[in-house]
Amino acid sequence: MKFLIIEQDLKVSGTSQGIISRSFLSKLREAYANAIIDVVYLKQNESDDQLHLLPVNSIKTHILNLNVPFFTKLINRFYWRLSGVSLVVEYINNVYRSYISKIEYASYDHIFIRSAGLAHETILGTKDLPILKKAIVNFHDPYPLFWYVGSNKELTRLQLFQMKTMFKVVEQSKTCMSSAHHMSNDLEFLYGTRKKFYTLPHQYADAVFDLADNAAVLPKNKKVTISYHGAIQFGRNIEILLDAYKELIENNILFQENTEFVLRLKWGELQKLAKKYESISNIKVLETLNFSNSCYEQKYIADINIILENGPLYCNILVGKAPFLAEIKKPILSLSPARSELRNIITDDRFIANSNDKQEIKTKLENLIIDRLHSNEPVYPFGDFFSLENFKKSLNEILAN
């Protein structure tokens, strides 16, 4: 069997999509040990992505020049307002199209087209190309951005035109899929239910990463460390959790002496929270780390890892860190809206709380801390959802259609 994978992000650090895509290739190799797996990697910048760690037969890398000509940008200032079409977006998508159109794809049994970021350039770049007839198109996020839960974007003529373009891609493709059941259902409805959207959840594999670097890891200072590594965006609320934790340590000397809360955030998010909680020594708001160091902290320093789902009312994506946290077999606390993807996955109610209910968050965090003060036994918040067997089952269903 021969697979062709078109990828946009295989970075080892800095993006969740890079981690997800690398892990997908690893799991695909595990599922089909004797298959031919070839990758075409369309990247925007020069970077050391440690491609030698990926268990594939070949990788052809192309660094794309996405610098839009000045004249195009100048005209576009007026053009998109009049027409609802962005010449800049079209230019970038056409750069991707020019590379994808040259791929010799006819000999492959299965073709996956995977993109990164919110613009979905790799997918949109295939519009009207014959490769789509054999392609499995993977949506890692909803498109366009207006439909991304937690986004504050308005529905504009520009987004409606982009949705029309994506509709053509969906219509022309062999199969469509996403990483979450809610997202698959939403996109199936959004694009007119003309094509079934299948679901293949994110995966994680240690083997495709060099995890030797732990030089920047924060030493463990307390018996129980609570940890959050990630972004604060799309309606995610970390402050309600920090306020609940603050109340716990103020009213329990045992918690004050034996616990700490460590957050790893990007600089813009860091400043606001660091200032708000600067008087609380148990809360440490620090800069984000590369993946190797972040992985080490979450695996070996943290006792309870935090997940924030999008909100405040609904989350239809599968957060990229879920399969990674499933691998390390430690307690998690997911702050989730009333309807969310993780509420269909997390098998034990101890590990999930309503992201808008501070009392529930406080109670469940307290119980997890008490448990970790007395036990280091492995736990399985996600059951076997991210097992190789379930991956194979979902993958084979997609390949059969």
Side-chain angles (χ1 to χ4, degrees), residues 10 25 38-41 51-52 54 56-61:
L10 291 171
L25 293 174
D38 294 332
V39 178
V40 174
Y41 184 18
L51 300 181
H52 65 282
L54 299 175
V56 299
N57 294 88
S58 71
I59 299 181
K60 293 181 180 178
T61 301

Side-chain angles (χ1 to χ4, degrees), residues 17 22 24 28 31 73 112 115 128 144 161-162 176 227 236 270 283 285 290 325 337 344 355 359 365 380 387:
Q17 186 59 40
R22 294 174 71 90
F24 168 75
L28 181 61
K73 291 191 285 187
F112 285 90
S115 61
D128 296 330
F161 176 82
Q162 292 168 341
C176 291
S227 175
R236 298 172 188 175
L270 183 155
I283 297 177
V285 186
N290 66 25
L325 294 179
N344 296 328
S355 53
Q359 185 54 52
L365 180 59
Y380 303 88
S387 68

Side-chain angles (χ1 to χ4, degrees), residues 228 230-239 263 265 269 273 308:
Y228 177 72
I232 311 295
Q233 60 183 355
F234 297 121
R236 298 172 188 175
N237 183 3
I238 191 69
E239 292 183 47
L263 298 99
L265 306 173
E269 301 161 345
L273 291 176
L308 301 181

Side-chain angles (χ1 to χ4, degrees), residues 32-276:
Y32 288 92
N34 298 317
I36 300 296
I37 302 175
D38 294 332
V39 178
V40 174
Y41 184 18
L42 304 176
K43 57 192 290 188
Q44 297 184 12
N45 307 106
E46 185 70 56
S47 57
D48 178 13
D49 298 330
Q50 300 176 5
L51 300 181
H52 65 282
L53 296 176
L54 299 175
V56 299
N57 294 88
S58 71
I59 299 181
K60 293 181 180 178
T61 301
H62 303 279
I63 301 174
L64 280 55
N65 180 2
L66 299 178
N67 293 321
V68 181
F70 174 77
F71 188 67
T72 302
K73 291 191 285 187
L74 182 64
I75 295 176
N76 192 57
R77 291 181 181 179
F78 312 98
Y79 186 84
W80 77 264
R81 290 178 173 86
L82 295 172
S83 67
V85 179
S86 169
L87 294 177
V88 171
V89 170
E90 288 299 292
Y91 179 89
I92 292 172
N93 290 344
N94 282 331
V95 173
Y96 282 88
R97 184 174 292 114
S98 69
Y99 281 88
I100 296 171
S101 66
K102 297 180 178 68
I103 296 173
E104 296 181 0
Y105 65 88
S107 66
Y108 291 96
D109 300 295
H110 301 289
I111 301 167
F112 285 90
I113 299 175
R114 299 169 59 84
S115 61
L118 298 173
H120 292 63
E121 299 98 334
T122 308
I123 296 175
L124 291 169
T126 63
K127 184 174 76 74
D128 296 330
L129 294 181
I131 193 174
L132 265 180
K133 295 177 182 178
K134 291 187 67 173
I136 300 165
V137 173
N138 176 69
F139 285 77
H140 61 280
D141 285 320
Y143 186 88
L145 185 55
F146 173 80
W147 270 272
Y148 201 117
V149 175
S151 167
N152 57 5
K153 295 290 184 180
E154 296 182 2
L155 182 59
T156 62
R157 288 177 65 202
L158 182 58
Q159 291 210 26
L160 286 172
F161 176 82
Q162 292 168 341
M163 178 182 167
K164 184 178 179 181
T165 303
M166 186 62 84
F167 174 83
K168 291 181 179 178
V169 173
V170 170
E171 193 173 48
Q172 294 167 3
S173 67
K174 173 178 174 284
T175 307
C176 291
M177 57 173 270
S178 87
S179 59
H181 286 287
H182 279 310
M183 181 160 56
S184 291
N185 290 338
D186 288 351
L187 290 175
E188 190 174 301
F189 174 77
L190 180 62
Y191 289 105
T193 65
R194 289 169 173 80
K195 186 154 292 180
K196 178 177 174 60
F197 277 70
Y198 294 88
T199 303
L200 186 68
H202 297 317
Q203 301 292 307
Y204 174 74
D206 264 344
V208 289
F209 301 95
D210 180 352
L211 301 173
D213 178 15
N214 57 17
V217 166
L218 181 72
K220 191 171 181 65
N221 298 306
K222 302 283 187 178
K223 183 174 177 58
V224 174
T225 300
I226 305 154
S227 175
Y228 177 72
H229 291 235
I232 311 295
Q233 60 183 355
F234 297 121
R236 298 172 188 175
N237 183 3
I238 191 69
E239 292 183 47
I240 191 172
L241 174 61
L242 293 173
D243 290 343
Y245 174 70
K246 177 173 175 284
E247 291 178 12
L248 286 174
I249 60 175
E250 286 175 344
N251 294 297
N252 190 322
I253 189 66
L254 182 67
F255 286 8
Q256 188 178 112
E257 292 178 348
N258 290 280
T259 72
E260 64 180 350
F261 200 132
V262 178
L263 298 99
R264 291 289 189 176
L265 306 173
K266 293 180 180 177
W267 181 245
E269 301 161 345
L270 183 155
Q271 290 175 301
K272 175 188 173 184
L273 291 176
K275 183 173 180 59
K276 178 176 179 179

Side-chain angles (χ1 to χ4, degrees), residues 9 11-17 19 266 289-291:
D9 188 351
K11 294 183 178 69
V12 294
S13 192
T15 65
S16 61
Q17 186 59 40
I19 296 166
K266 293 180 180 177
L289 298 167
N290 66 25
F291 181 66

